[in-house]
Amino acid sequence: MLPCKRALVLSRRLATPCITPRTRRIHSAATAAAATTTAAAAAAAAAAAAAVNARSSVSEAELQKFVKVSQEWWDPQGAFKYLHTMNAPRIRFIRDILADVHRVTGEERDSTKWLAGKSVVDVGCGGGLASESLARLGLKVLGIDAAAENISIARVHNPGLFPQLEYKQTTAEQLVAQKEGAGFDAVVSLEVIEHVTDPVLFCKSLVELAKPGAPLLVSTMNRTLLSLLVDVVLPEYVLRSVPRGTHDHSKFITPRELREIFMSLGAQHLDTRGLILDPLSNQCHLVPADLGVFSNVGIQANYIMAFRKND
Amino acid sequence: MRVALVDSGKLEDIKQWKPPLDSYLSRTLQITASNKVYLENHGLWSQCYADRMQPYDRAVVTDSLGGGVIDLAAFETVESVQSRSSVAYMIETKNFVSGMLKAIDCATGCVVTFERSRARLLVGADGASSYVRKCAGIGTYGSEYLQYGLVATLCLEQLNSTAYQRFLPTGPIAMLPFPGGFANLVWSLDSDHTQLLKSAPEGAFASLVNAAFRLSACEMQYLYNIVRDGASESAITAEADWRLEVFARNNPGISSPKLLPPTIAAITPKSRTSFPLRMRMVDSLIANRIALVGDAGHVMHPLAGQGLNMGLEDVQCLADVLKQAAVAGEDIGSVPVLMRYNKQRYVRNLAMQGIVDKTWHIFGSNSRPVVTARSLVMNGLDLFPTVKRFLVSSIMS
C-alpha cells in the first residue's frame, strides 16, 4: 500500500494544477467511469451495512458516499455516466454466461424466450441500471440495495417492466436469513464487493442466494497500479468527476483472490473478462483476460468474473 | 418487440394497388444492388410485381455544354461478374410501397394502427417535411434549388435497359429504363420551363425530350421560345424533327456506341407531373426517444437517385443498432443507444448530400473554365476502366 499512497500524494501535487478545462473534459470520462463504479459499489456496501444489526458486510461509511450522489443515477451525463457506458457489455456478458449454463445455442441465443421467467437477484442494485436491463431481457429481477435512497430512485425510474422487476431495501445477508428469496437462477453483483467490509462474508451470502448450478456474476476492480490510476487518481484527484475517497484502493480485490474466495465457498470459476473503457468515444469493450502472449493484461483495472455454484 | 405503423395515407388502398396494364406510373424509385439484396433477404422484394421492375447495368452520362461523356457499365466490375447483378433497379413508387405493405402483413408482431399509442421509440419516416422532426425540435438547414422535377412516362421506339443522363444548362435530364420499351423521364427545370413543358402538347413533348438529349443549348432555347409563343403541336414537332435530322446527318457515328438514348415515340397521356427540388440537412438524426430515417433526415436532389437508398441504409443501420441494444437489455429509445445510429449515419448522409449538391452546382455552371474542366474530367475518367469500376461499385452499394 505504500507505493499507492505515495502515488496519490504525488498526483495531488503534480497533476491537479495543470489541468485545463479542455483536458478536464476529455479526461473526465475516464474518471467519471471510475467514479461511478465506485459509487455503485459504495451504495451496495452501504445497503448491506444498514440492513443487518448482527453480522453484516455493509460499511456505514461507504453507504453514505452513495447516498450523496444517489440523485444522479439516471443522468447519462452525470456522475454515473461511465456506469451507463459499462452496462451494455456487462449485460451482454451475463446473458452469454446464462446461455452457456443453460446450453442455449444458435439463433435461440439472440431470442428472449429462453430467458423468460428465470429469476435474478441484483445485489447492490444502486439506481437500478443493471436491474432494468436484465428485466428487459425477460428475466424476473429482484434488485436489492442497503440504501433506501437508491431503492426509491430505482422504483421511481419505472419503465413499465413490473411485475418482472422488483426492488427491496435489504442486504444479501438479510435476504439469506429471511430464506424467502433464496434459490435464484442467477446472482449478480456489479461494482459492489470493493465497498464491503467483509468480502468473504459477502461472497458467502451471494453463493447462498444462488440455486445449485446457478451462475454468479461479480464485477469489480483489480488492485494494480493501473487501477489506482484509472479508477482512483484520475477520477477523484485529476478530473474530480468523482468525490474524493469514493474508492479505497486497498479494498480492491484481485481476480486471483476473488477466484479463491468463491472456490472455497463451493463455486467453480467459469470465465473472467476485462472491461476497458474508451473515454473519448464513450464506449466500453469486453476483452479477454489474456491478450496473446500477454497474460492478464485485459484485467488490470475493471473486470467481471463468472462462477457457477456447485450442484 | 412490438411495432406499430402509423400513416396518414390510406394504406389499405395502396396495398390493394392493381397496376395499369398498358403503362407505368411516372413516380419511380431507383434501388441500388446492395439495397435490393437487403430487401430480398428480408422477404420484401418478392412482394413487389417483379415484371414491373427493370434492372439496368449501364449508365451513360453526358454534358451538353462541354461535350463530356462517361459510359458506366456494370459488367466492367468484378463483383457484378461474380454475382451477375445489376447496377440498380427501377421500380414504380406504388409498386414498391404496396409490396412493403404486403410484406408487413406476412410479418408477425407488427400492427398497423391509427390509434393513440405510446412507445419507447418513435421512428420518424414521414418524409421531407417531417412532422416528427418538427415536434422533436430538430433544426434543418439547406437551400432551395428553385427547380422542379418534371416526370413523365415515355414510350420508346425500341427496348432499352440503359440509363441516360444529360446535364443541360437548365438542369439535368434523365431517362431511366422500364420493361417493354417504356422509360421514366426525370427532368430538372426552373419553374418557368416546368410550366412551359407541362403545358406543351403531348405530341410535341416527346420531340422536345428527344431534342433535349441531342441538341445544343441554344437550339433548345429556340425550341422553348416557339413553345412559349404558342406554336401548334405540328409546328413544334416539325421544327424539332428537322433539327434532329440535321443533327443525325452531322453526327453519323454517335449512335453506334449507343451514347444516345433510343428515340421517344410518345409519352403516356397525362403522365406529366412535377415536384419541387430541395436540399435539406438536419442538425441531428436523433432526439430523446426519436430517430429520423429517410427523407425526414435528409432531402436531396434526385439527380443521383440516392434519396431512398440512403433511407434504406438508415433503416438497416437503425435496425442493427436496436437489435444489439435489445440483446444487451438496453432502453432502445435512450440517447446513448440512438447516438450509435447517429454516429454511423449522420456524416455519411451529409457527405452524400454534399457530393450531390456539388455535382449539381458544377453542372449548373455556364462559366467556360468550369465547363472545360468538367468535360476534361469526364472524358478523362472515361479512359480509365479502374476508376470507372470504382465509380460503378460505389453506385451499386
Side-chain angles (χ1 to χ4, degrees), chain A residues 157-179:
Chain A
H157 193 270
N158 169 20
L161 289 164
F162 290 97
Q164 259 157 277
L165 180 56
E166 202 190 324
Y167 293 109
K168 207 170 181 186
Q169 190 209 341
T170 183
T171 65
E173 290 80 14
Q174 269 186 333
L175 205 59
V176 171
Q178 287 165 359
K179 299 268 179 207

Side-chain angles (χ1 to χ4, degrees), chain A residues 76 88 91-92 95 110 132-133 136-137 159 281 283, chain B residues 120 323-324 326-332 336 340 343:
Chain A
I91 301 295
R92 226 173 281 137
R95 188 192 170 114
D110 274 355
E132 262 186 29
S133 292
R136 221 176 260 120
L137 296 181
S281 68
Q283 278 183 324
Chain B
R120 299 201 70 78
K323 192 190 163 193
Q324 294 298 325
V327 166
E330 286 177 275
D331 180 354
I332 55 165
R340 281 169 232 157
K343 232 178 219 169

Side-chain angles (χ1 to χ4, degrees), chain B residues 298-312:
Chain B
H298 42 76
V299 183
M300 59 200 275
H301 198 286
L303 70 88
Q306 289 303 316
L308 175 76
N309 289 297
M310 281 160 70
L312 287 172

Side-chain angles (χ1 to χ4, degrees), chain B residues 128 169 182 221 271 274 326 363:
Chain B
F182 285 95
Q221 205 50 57
S271 67
S274 64
F363 283 96

